[in-house]
């Protein structure tokens, strides 16, 4: 079993829809939770960062962490074609190693 | 803005060749990382370094080595390239919660 499981997608939604992305994990020691966005032929860029459980909002993006269920989510409201990308969840428990999900490819149709 | 620069976007090498992938960061970060990214597997950590001349194995170090002679530069070496090392290679640097990635080197071994 992988340490981090991510819904594989792909996901295709109309412009303006809410995009919901999820990851589950098995290592209860994870304390730091991140979402990265990766455009085609580019490196991942950090979107959201959360420490421990709770919600965090940044503009159209909301990240949720439920440590009791070992489940994290990213919601994108009012999705735009420019949100079309691969989204990667990532998490870590120490100072160094990030564990990544396999990524979900999202297409927002104009 | 943090900049992580990988010297090559695309490389084609033959089986058995020694391959050098170079990475430079401009923010004086202590921690640097090499990942490979494969479809369905996400990002997997090959090696990381937390200081000059210091290195630690990640999850998949076999067939790779690294060099960090200067703080800003972290090199990945494939001692004898094999076809199963065909992949996207991503370099990253980190200070605090944010890990910053380069745009990747797509290596094909024939």
């Amino acid at each position: 079993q992988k340490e981090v499981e991510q819904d594989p997608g792909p996901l295709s939604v109309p412009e303006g829809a809410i995009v919901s992305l999820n990851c589950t994990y098995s290592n209860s020691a994870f304390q730091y939770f991140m979402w990265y966005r990766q455009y085609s032929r580019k490196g991942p860029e950090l979107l959201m960062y959360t420490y421990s459980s709770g919600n965090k909002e940044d503009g159209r993006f909301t990240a949720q962490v439920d440590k009791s269920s070992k489940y994290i989510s990213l919601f994108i409201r009012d999705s735009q074609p420019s949100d079309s990308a691969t989204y990667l969840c990532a998490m870590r428990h120490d100072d160094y190693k990030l564990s990544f999900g396999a990524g979900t490819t999202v297409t927002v149709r104009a | 803005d943090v900049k992580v620069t990988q010297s090559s976007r695309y490389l084609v090498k033959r089986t058995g060749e020694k391959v050098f992938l170079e990475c430079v960061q401009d923010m004086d970060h202590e921690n640097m990382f090499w990942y490979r990214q494969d479809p369905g597997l996400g990002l997997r950590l090959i090696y990381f370094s937390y200081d000059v001349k210091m290195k630690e194995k990640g999850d998949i170090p076999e067939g790779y080595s690294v060099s960090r002679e200067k703080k800003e530069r972290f090199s990945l070496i494939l001692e004898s390239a094999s076809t199963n090392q065909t992949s996207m290679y991503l370099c990253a640097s980190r200070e605090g919660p944010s890990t910053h990635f380069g745009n990747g080197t797509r290596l094909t071994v024939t």
Side-chain angles (χ1 to χ4, degrees):
Chain A
Q1 186 191 3
K2 291 181 188 175
E3 205 170 32
V4 180
E5 299 275 3
Q6 183 171 359
D7 289 346
L11 210 54
S12 180
V13 300
E15 185 175 355
I18 295 174
V19 176
S20 173
L21 302 166
N22 308 293
C23 288
T24 59
Y25 62 94
S26 56
N27 188 343
S28 58
F30 285 137
Q31 295 282 353
Y32 306 90
F33 303 91
M34 285 136 278
W35 285 94
Y36 283 82
R37 178 176 62 196
Q38 186 175 22
Y39 291 116
S40 180
R41 292 186 291 279
K42 296 284 190 181
E45 56 176 326
L46 182 65
L47 261 184
M48 301 283 287
Y49 167 80
T50 310
Y51 173 71
S52 197
S53 281
N55 294 356
K56 187 172 184 179
E57 194 170 313
D58 183 2
R60 296 183 296 110
F61 298 89
T62 299
Q64 291 183 350
V65 175
D66 182 347
K67 289 188 71 180
S68 62
S69 301
K70 297 192 183 71
Y71 188 89
I72 71 170
S73 300
L74 178 72
F75 299 96
I76 308 172
R77 290 183 300 280
D78 187 26
S79 57
Q80 305 295 310
S82 58
D83 295 326
S84 298
T86 296
Y87 291 81
L88 301 154
C89 63
M91 46 200 80
R92 64 181 173 93
H93 57 80
D94 57 20
D95 279 342
Y96 304 113
K97 181 188 164 188
L98 274 175
S99 295
F100 283 85
T104 303
T105 299
V106 174
T107 301
V108 180
R109 308 185 306 271
Chain B
D1 266 0
V2 176
K3 194 162 185 184
V4 179
T5 303
Q6 295 183 231
S7 55
S8 305
R9 291 301 304 274
Y10 300 95
L11 274 179
V12 179
K13 296 292 181 180
R14 293 185 182 271
T15 302
E17 277 193 79
K18 191 168 186 175
V19 182
F20 293 86
L21 303 182
E22 306 287 345
C23 174
V24 176
Q25 51 99 358
D26 66 356
M27 283 301 291
D28 202 37
H29 286 171
E30 302 282 346
N31 304 311
M32 295 189 73
F33 306 81
W34 275 105
Y35 290 86
R36 62 178 282 178
Q37 184 175 27
D38 300 288
L41 297 177
L43 278 75
R44 294 179 291 166
L45 181 64
I46 304 171
Y47 267 96
F48 66 95
S49 168
Y50 51 89
D51 202 350
V52 175
K53 297 192 186 293
M54 306 302 289
K55 59 185 179 184
E56 292 285 342
K57 292 179 180 179
D59 295 322
I60 51 164
E62 296 79 19
Y64 303 94
S65 62
V66 290
S67 171
R68 190 151 181 218
E69 297 296 320
K70 293 184 179 181
K71 195 174 186 180
E72 68 271 18
R73 187 179 296 271
F74 192 34
S75 302
L76 180 70
I77 303 151
L78 285 66
E79 297 291 341
S80 177
S82 63
T83 54
N84 63 11
Q85 293 178 310
T86 291
S87 186
M88 170 70 84
Y89 289 88
L90 289 161
C91 174
S93 72
R94 184 173 73 80
E95 201 73 32
S98 300
T99 300
H100 301 269
F101 286 86
N103 282 328
T105 296
R106 183 165 292 283
L107 173 68
T108 301
V109 183
T110 60

